[in-house]
C-alpha cells in the first residue's frame, strides 16, 4: 500500500528522504462501527489472518466476508520492509 497520497506536503517543496527508506505497508486490521450512529451500537475489530479477514465482535469471532474497509474509523498497518530486519540505527 502506497500511503504517499495520504501525506500532506506543500506543493512547492520536495519531500525530504526518510532515513530508513520509503516504507511499504500492508493493511492488517481495522476498527469499524456497527449501529445507526456513534451514539448507539458498538465498535468491532477486523483483522487479517492467513489472508482472510476475521471479525471480532465481543465474544463472537467469525470470517468477515466483506470488511467495511472504506468506512473504518481506525486502520492498522504493518511495515513490510522492516519485518525481520529492524534498522540498527535506532
Amino acid at each position: 500500500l502506497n500511503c504517499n497520497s495520504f501525506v500532506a506536503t506543500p506543493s512547492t517543496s520536495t519531500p525530504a528522504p526518510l532515513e530508513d527508506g520509503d516504507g511499504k505497508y500492508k493493511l492488517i486490521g481495522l476498527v469499524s462501527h456497527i449501529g445507526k450512529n456513534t451514539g448507539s451500537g458498538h465498535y468491532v475489530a477486523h483483522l487479517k489472518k492467513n489472508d482472510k479477514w476475521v471479525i471480532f465482535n465481543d465474544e463472537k469471532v467469525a470470517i468477515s466476508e466483506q470488511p467495511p474497509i472504506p468506512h473504518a474509523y481506525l486502520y492498522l498497518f504493518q511495515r513490510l520492509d522492516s519485518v525481520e530486519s529492524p534498522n540498527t540505527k535506532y
Side-chain angles (χ1 to χ4, degrees), residues 5-80:
S5 62
F6 300 106
V7 177
T9 57
S11 60
T12 59
S13 69
T14 303
L18 299 175
E19 292 180 11
D20 61 346
D22 291 336
K24 302 294 180 197
Y25 298 83
K26 70 175 178 177
L27 181 65
I28 61 166
L30 58 100
V31 175
S32 64
H33 184 266
I34 297 174
K36 291 183 181 180
N37 57 51
T38 55
S40 65
H42 66 282
Y43 294 90
V44 297
H46 302 260
L47 299 175
K48 202 163 196 180
K49 183 172 181 167
N50 300 328
D51 291 325
K52 292 187 179 188
W53 285 99
V54 180
I55 183 171
F56 294 83
N57 182 357
D58 293 333
E59 297 173 355
K60 300 172 190 156
V61 178
I63 296 294
S64 181
E65 297 291 341
Q66 295 180 333
I69 294 172
H71 307 292
Y73 283 82
L74 177 72
Y75 296 91
L76 304 170
F77 292 93
Q78 179 181 34
R79 185 168 175 169
L80 299 174

